[in-house]
């Protein structure tokens, strides 16, 4: 269930410590979105208006205001999907690593209020409903089945996909990103079972090919 607040809140303030978080809100009086800034945001944000991607901001790009150009009507849907990409374990910044958006969202120079916040730690994939509709080019979950006759180590290749993470029989085997350098994810034999195995891919960039491949050797770039 979403948590409502006037301003956006970080994952930590909502009791979440890893994964993703989705912020949704309605536009109010805007007829055109010209500038946007996410205050105290980490680590990577995909910004959408009515299911159209406006901007993707990563790391240091989140520190500044950005110009955009999008026509809007009051009541349009604004969505921001933020990914937690990890924390450092040393130095003075250890206690200041808030993930998500810990400040606020500024649109056209003013603070935007009224947010529904969906925590997505991805620890309850059994609740996913794959019968729902799919919108091309948007973040989505994909489910595959792998039939195994004899268990062995293998490597998953997602050529043509964008960015996301993969679960094998409910176990998170890691993230993938088209920029590399690593091109394949390692799946150790003990994670597999004879017969049917479930592969779930969470693709955040909307670049799914609908095809995954298994190889017998790594490709670490």
């Amino acid at each position: 269930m979403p948590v409502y607040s006037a301003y956006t809140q970080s994952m930590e303030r909502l009791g979440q410590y890893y994964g993703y978080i989705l912020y949704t809100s309605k536009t109010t009086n805007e007829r055109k979105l010209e500038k946007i800034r996410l205050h105290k945001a980490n680590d990577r944000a995909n910004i959408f208006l009515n299911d159209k991607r406006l901007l993707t901001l990563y790391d240091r790009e989140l520190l500044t205001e950005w110009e955009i150009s999008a026509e809007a009507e009051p009541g349009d849907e604004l969505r921001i999907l933020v990914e937690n990409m990890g924390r450092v374990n040393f130095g003075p910044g250890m206690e200041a690593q808030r993930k998500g958006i810990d400040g606020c969202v500024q649109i056209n120079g003013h603070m935007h209020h009224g947010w529904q916040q969906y925590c997505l730690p991805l620890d309850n994939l059994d609740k996913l409903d794959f019968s729902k509709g799919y919108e091309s080019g948007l973040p989505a979950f994909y489910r595959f089945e792998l039939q195994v006759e004899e268990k062995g180590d293998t490597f998953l290749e997602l050529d043509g996909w964008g960015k996301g993470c993969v679960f094998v029989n409910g176990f998170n085997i890691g993230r993938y990103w088209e920029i590399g350098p690593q091109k394949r994810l390692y799946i150790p034999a003990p994670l597999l079972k004879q017969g049917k195995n479930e592969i779930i891919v969470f693709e955040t960039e909307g670049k799914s090919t609908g095809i995954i491949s298994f190889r017998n050797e790594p490709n670490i770039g």
Side-chain angles (χ1 to χ4, degrees):
M1 295 293 293
V3 176
Y4 174 83
S5 67
Y7 295 96
T8 53
Q9 298 174 290
S10 66
M11 290 184 181
E12 291 78 8
R13 296 188 194 280
L14 295 171
Q16 179 186 351
Y17 303 102
Y18 50 84
Y20 302 76
I21 186 168
L22 176 67
Y23 302 91
T24 70
S25 185
K26 301 289 186 180
T27 56
T28 51
N29 300 319
E30 294 85 3
R31 297 292 177 175
K32 186 174 183 179
L33 305 188
E34 298 178 320
K35 294 182 179 180
I36 190 167
R37 181 172 182 179
L38 313 184
H39 290 267
K40 297 183 180 179
N42 292 293
D43 291 304
R44 191 171 188 268
N46 287 322
I47 305 172
F48 304 88
L49 179 67
N50 291 337
D51 294 335
K52 178 183 178 181
R53 186 186 301 269
L54 297 180
L55 201 60
T56 297
L57 302 176
Y58 172 51
D59 197 27
R60 308 295 291 181
E61 296 171 341
L62 290 161
L63 299 177
T64 60
E65 186 175 57
W66 287 80
E67 293 186 358
I68 55 179
S69 179
E71 302 297 326
E73 295 287 340
D76 283 353
E77 186 83 16
L78 181 66
R79 297 175 181 169
I80 305 175
L81 178 66
V82 184
E83 178 183 359
N84 176 349
M85 296 186 67
R87 297 177 172 86
V88 298
N89 61 356
F90 61 92
M94 285 183 62
E95 297 300 321
Q97 299 180 79
R98 302 291 181 262
K99 303 300 182 176
I101 307 173
D102 196 35
C104 62
V105 177
Q106 191 173 352
I107 298 175
N108 294 351
H110 68 266
M111 305 305 179
H112 184 79
H113 301 152
W115 293 92
Q116 297 284 357
Q117 303 161 118
Y118 297 82
C119 294
L120 303 171
L122 304 187
D123 57 358
N124 55 349
L125 298 183
D126 58 308
K127 299 184 183 300
L128 288 173
D129 184 354
F130 289 96
S131 68
K132 299 296 184 181
Y134 162 73
E135 295 291 337
S136 178
L138 295 179
F141 290 91
Y142 299 84
R143 182 178 182 273
F144 298 88
E145 290 185 0
L146 172 66
Q147 290 290 334
V148 173
E149 295 182 0
E150 182 177 348
K151 296 195 301 181
D153 292 353
T154 189
F155 298 87
L156 175 64
E157 184 173 79
L158 293 121
D159 190 29
W161 294 67
K163 189 180 191 302
C165 55
V166 181
F167 299 81
V168 176
N169 294 327
F171 186 89
N172 189 341
I173 63 168
R175 311 177 205 231
Y176 65 92
W177 197 352
E178 61 184 339
I179 68 172
Q182 182 175 334
K183 296 297 184 180
R184 297 172 185 169
L185 294 176
Y186 173 53
I187 303 177
L191 289 184
L192 300 173
K193 55 188 178 182
Q194 287 185 318
K196 184 173 67 176
N197 293 264
E198 180 183 65
I199 314 293
I200 293 179
V201 180
F202 181 42
E203 163 63 38
T204 64
E205 311 307 295
K207 293 184 178 181
S208 165
T209 65
I211 299 173
I212 60 176
S213 303
F214 298 90
R215 309 297 184 188
N216 60 4
E217 59 184 21
N219 183 351
I220 58 175

